Amino acid sequence: MDLYYLPLVGACRSVLMVGKALGLEFNKKIINTLEGEQLNPDFIKINPQHSIPTLVDNGFTIWESRAILVYLVEKYGKDDSLYPKDIQKQAVINQRLYFDMGLMYPTLANYYYKAFANGQLGSEEDYKKVQETFAFLNTFLDGQDYVAGDQYTVADIAILANVSNFDVVGFDIGKYPNVARWYDHVKKITPGWEENWAGALERIAHGYRPSNMDFYYSPRSSGSRTIIMVAKALGIELNKKQLRLTEGEHLKPEFVKLNPQHTIPTLVDNGFAIWESRAIAVYLVEKYGKEDSLFPNDPQKRALINQRLYFDMGTLHESFMKYYYPFIRTGQVGTAENYKKIETAFEFLDKFLEGQDYVAGGQLTVADIAILSSVSTFEVVEFDINKYSNVARWYANAKKVTPGWDENWAGLLQMKTMYEAQKSSSK
């Protein structure tokens, strides 16, 4: 059986999962719709609608995934459990399949998939339709384990493929307890789930970059500049919302509601709020990275990166805050002991960089970007970085290879202006 498909398309993945459940092997033929391959004359001859998935079974051609699912069960199923012969049960399954096609998928496409084309999500009204769709599904699942009654059917598999799409683009399924319960269960029992999930993640890798993630920040903030550089490296557009801390904007009730610690940077991604720059950096890479180079999947590499991130927060950046930050605010630097902690931090960093080009191994990672933000902050307050030869070498290179360096430096120049003004007034 020839299956014309593309792994990132949810409808194609539902056919793969049903095929797996039935023990079928497909002769998979990728049709890359992103490059217009569905418009090739040879494919149009097979399917004049030129849509995927399309199945050709010994000369019989059928398309539309839900029709394919039912056909496969009726033709090859060892029993009728996935699509029972009982007329009433079939009617409910069919209703759910039409619900999946006519409501669930269109709300996904209308709100989220626009971001693949232009980086802009759909309208607020489009998002409300997503919420309404999940509310309906939540009601369907009230008091039952499966979407079409008391047994697992093709309706569960079709809707699972679409719900997993919502999952990877960040929709909060947890707000719908019946859906969340069902989703957790069917992921475990559905054959081919792993291949489905890999395809869903591939959808992200092919350009889902929503530009309306709200980013609360200050350009002078080291953590904020870290996220700006990480976002640039990932090709993400942030909806920047600058908070003037000197005017107490971070203490306004609406911001405290988002972040009870009222700190910046804070990211709000489709209702999910997260703060602490290093946590945000890792989240962005794991959610939107085309690959894992900035935060590799290897546990040992991750452990080393995490150690450097904690070093940045607890030692390097902390030493700046204790010694220089009071001067910017009051004109008085910290103590000699505070300054010694800066030197100690740079000595550690210099040692980390001995014999290597990056702070956590052989490649640029989020640890380099976070520490670059901190080290560049020391530059504008005239700390002599050149005393530490490995740091100086790394710093010169990191400035060249890190996307968003120019914006990082622009924010630092604002800080430098404040620093210089305080120096003049303190003389």
Side-chain angles (χ1 to χ4, degrees):
M1 282 188 288
D2 291 338
L3 178 66
Y4 296 86
Y5 85 118
L6 190 63
L8 57 82
V9 175
C12 295
R13 301 196 310 272
S14 69
V15 175
L16 292 175
M17 287 189 284
V18 166
K20 184 75 74 172
L22 296 173
L24 301 174
E25 291 292 334
F26 297 116
N27 180 27
K28 298 175 186 175
K29 298 188 174 186
I30 287 182
I31 297 292
N32 192 339
T33 55
L34 303 175
E35 297 181 6
E37 291 180 358
Q38 76 277 19
L39 301 176
N40 289 344
D42 290 344
F43 184 66
I44 291 176
K45 188 175 180 180
I46 294 170
N47 175 356
Q49 265 189 272
H50 49 78
S51 58
I52 55 171
T54 293
L55 182 77
V56 181
D57 182 11
N58 195 33
F60 172 69
T61 303
I62 185 72
W63 55 92
E64 206 312 288
S65 63
R66 299 154 192 89
I68 296 173
L69 305 185
V70 172
Y71 166 76
L72 289 174
V73 174
E74 293 195 313
K75 180 77 183 287
Y76 296 105
K78 294 178 180 178
D79 57 52
D80 71 343
S81 62
L82 288 177
Y83 191 68
K85 290 185 172 60
D86 180 276
I87 298 300
Q88 290 186 349
K89 290 181 178 179
Q90 280 192 6
V92 176
I93 292 168
N94 289 338
Q95 185 276 321
R96 302 300 196 250
L97 291 173
Y98 285 115
F99 165 81
D100 180 51
M101 182 185 187
L103 196 58
M104 179 154 276
Y105 176 75
T107 60
L108 176 75
N110 291 338
Y111 184 72
Y112 287 103
Y113 284 178
K114 290 177 180 178
F116 288 93
N118 58 23
Q120 297 290 334
L121 294 172
S123 66
E124 185 176 341
E125 186 63 30
D126 292 327
Y127 187 69
K128 286 180 180 177
K129 288 179 179 177
V130 173
Q131 294 174 310
E132 289 172 0
T133 299
F134 270 81
F136 287 138
L137 182 57
N138 200 64
T139 300
F140 298 161
L141 286 160
D142 198 15
Q144 61 187 50
D145 293 330
Y146 301 105
V147 298
D150 60 358
Q151 70 187 74
Y152 175 73
T153 69
V154 292
D156 292 281
I157 297 175
I159 291 176
L160 173 63
N162 261 331
V163 170
S164 63
N165 287 331
F166 283 98
D167 190 5
V168 297
V169 296
F171 182 73
D172 188 1
I173 297 167
K175 288 182 178 179
Y176 306 87
N178 294 332
V179 179
R181 170 181 50 80
W182 165 85
Y183 184 48
D184 185 60
H185 175 57
V186 293
K187 285 190 293 187
K188 296 173 183 174
I189 68 170
T190 300
W193 161 257
E194 292 80 5
E195 188 175 1
N196 171 74
W197 185 246
L201 292 175
E202 191 174 331
R203 167 66 79 175
I204 293 293
H206 278 80
Y208 179 74
R209 297 292 185 273
S211 64
N212 67 344
M213 283 191 285
D214 290 339
F215 179 58
Y216 297 85
Y217 83 115
S218 167
R220 298 188 298 273
S221 154
S222 173
S224 297
R225 290 182 278 107
T226 295
I227 301 311
I228 288 169
M229 289 189 283
V230 169
K232 184 71 72 174
L234 296 172
I236 294 171
E237 292 293 330
L238 300 169
N239 182 27
K240 296 174 183 171
K241 298 189 173 187
Q242 185 171 339
L243 293 183
R244 291 179 287 271
L245 306 187
T246 55
E247 297 180 18
E249 290 183 348
H250 59 305
L251 300 176
K252 290 184 176 180
E254 56 268 29
F255 184 68
V256 173
K257 187 175 180 180
L258 291 174
N259 174 355
Q261 275 188 267
H262 50 78
T263 55
I264 56 168
T266 292
L267 181 80
V268 181
D269 181 12
N270 193 35
F272 173 68
I274 184 71
W275 53 94
E276 208 310 289
S277 62
R278 298 153 192 88
I280 297 171
V282 170
Y283 167 77
L284 289 175
V285 174
E286 292 199 303
K287 183 75 183 288
Y288 298 110
K290 291 181 180 179
E291 33 82 16
D292 70 343
S293 64
L294 289 176
F295 192 62
N297 288 322
D298 180 270
Q300 290 187 351
K301 291 180 179 179
R302 284 194 170 198
L304 190 59
I305 292 167
N306 286 332
Q307 185 274 320
R308 301 301 196 248
L309 291 172
Y310 285 115
F311 165 79
D312 177 50
M313 182 181 188
T315 303
L316 183 63
H317 178 69
E318 178 70 7
S319 70
F320 179 90
M321 296 298 289
K322 289 288 178 62
Y323 185 77
Y324 285 106
Y325 190 65
F327 177 80
I328 294 172
R329 298 193 65 181
T330 67
Q332 297 294 321
V333 294
T335 65
E337 183 180 351
N338 294 142
Y339 188 78
K340 179 61 179 174
K341 288 182 179 178
I342 294 174
E343 294 179 313
T344 300
F346 271 84
E347 287 166 5
F348 285 140
L349 182 57
D350 201 63
K351 188 68 174 177
F352 298 159
L353 285 160
E354 197 170 283
Q356 61 186 51
D357 294 329
Y358 299 101
V359 299
Q363 66 191 61
L364 181 78
T365 69
V366 290
D368 292 279
I369 297 175
I371 290 176
L372 175 62
S373 180
S374 291
V375 170
S376 59
T377 307
F378 281 97
E379 183 180 357
V380 299
V381 294
E382 301 170 341
F383 179 76
D384 188 3
I385 297 167
N386 290 323
K387 285 182 180 179
Y388 309 90
S389 58
N390 293 329
V391 177
R393 170 181 51 79
W394 164 84
Y395 184 47
N397 179 61
K399 288 191 289 186
K400 295 175 184 175
V401 302
T402 303
W405 163 258
D406 290 342
E407 190 168 355
N408 173 73
W409 188 246
L412 282 166
L413 291 179
Q414 293 186 27
M415 175 180 281
K416 187 173 185 178
T417 298
M418 295 175 63
Y419 178 73
E420 296 292 344
Q422 188 61 266
K423 278 178 65 178
S424 297
S425 64
S426 300
K427 288 180 180 178

